[in-house]
Amino acid sequence: MHNVRSSTPDDELKIQALYKKVARISGGIAVREDEVSIDYIKDFMKKSMPNGFNLVVDHPTISTEIIGEVHCYPLQPRIFNHVLGELTIAVDPDFHRMGVGKNLLGTLQTLVKTKRPDILRIELFTNETNTKSLALYERMGFIREGKLMHRLKWDKNTIEADIPLAWFNPNYHNIK
């Protein structure tokens, strides 16, 4: 089992290196390697820190590397304050199928269930050809909510659908 912890500002460069590595793989995360700037990382970390989540898994033997990261945060405007969105999960390709993604999502779900009863749903999107991720999300209790046709344009010849999924917090109660 991989140890999941909350990120810190000291993790910015490690997360950037992870995202650049994952972005090199076609159909992984939606950003391209050249889009993974330190400002990109700082932006989602800043949005995640106050009311969302930013979780990481350290490399088991190399202290300067992170092998997994997930983040999400409340959407705006206030009408969506019961939703955590903009979820992105990145797992080092060298650690695929080793439970890192499952552990990150499971920890996120547990934290929402135990510490955030004000959150009803967690939303994410993945491309339709990312069948391994779709299967993982569904095993983790996420439900497909449709299909957004021709939403992802990877290059001039490859356009595909984006699949929205949501997980619902069984411990939700409207506190506000």
Side-chain angles (χ1 to χ4, degrees):
M1 184 73 85
H2 304 281
N3 183 42
V4 177
R5 64 173 175 82
S6 293
S7 70
T8 70
D10 292 339
D11 293 321
E12 288 173 354
L13 292 175
K14 295 177 190 179
I15 294 170
Q16 183 187 25
L18 170 67
Y19 269 61
K20 283 184 173 284
K21 186 173 184 178
V22 173
R24 289 183 202 121
I25 297 169
S26 176
I29 57 176
V31 296
R32 295 184 176 121
E33 185 177 5
D34 65 333
E35 296 174 305
V36 182
S37 66
I38 197 64
D39 288 336
Y40 171 79
I41 303 299
K42 286 181 179 189
D43 181 60
F44 72 67
M45 288 182 75
K46 180 182 176 184
K47 291 175 181 174
S48 301
M49 294 295 183
N51 296 309
F53 295 94
N54 189 204
L55 306 172
V56 296
V57 174
D58 293 310
H59 192 287
T61 58
I62 304 171
S63 64
T64 58
E65 293 184 18
I66 286 174
I67 61 168
E69 187 270 353
V70 65
H71 66 268
C72 57
Y73 45 86
L75 302 175
Q76 297 293 321
R78 189 173 44 222
I79 194 170
F80 299 115
N81 69 359
H82 63 290
V83 178
L84 291 178
E86 300 298 322
L87 187 145
T88 300
I89 184 167
V91 175
D92 184 317
D94 297 336
F95 289 86
H96 280 187
R97 306 200 53 82
M98 294 185 187
V100 176
K102 180 180 178 182
N103 202 5
L104 281 164
L105 284 175
T107 300
L108 174 62
Q109 290 169 317
T110 298
L111 287 169
V112 169
K113 283 190 266 189
T114 59
K115 298 189 182 307
R116 294 299 303 274
D118 60 311
I119 297 299
L120 173 59
R121 61 185 277 141
I122 300 173
E123 299 177 342
L124 63 85
F125 294 82
T126 194
N127 51 304
E128 66 182 332
T129 58
N130 195 347
T131 55
K132 290 179 183 172
S133 292
L134 279 167
L136 169 65
Y137 301 145
E138 289 176 334
R139 281 194 311 273
M140 300 296 295
F142 284 80
I143 299 166
R144 290 188 199 207
E145 294 191 315
K147 186 174 189 176
L148 306 174
M149 298 300 296
H150 311 297
R151 186 163 188 248
L152 304 172
K153 185 175 180 182
W154 298 106
D155 56 48
K156 70 178 191 172
N157 298 317
T158 309
I159 299 175
E160 68 178 309
D162 210 3
I163 308 297
L165 297 103
W167 173 83
F168 296 91
N169 182 1
N171 296 338
Y172 170 77
H173 64 273
N174 192 3
I175 10 184
K176 294 180 183 179

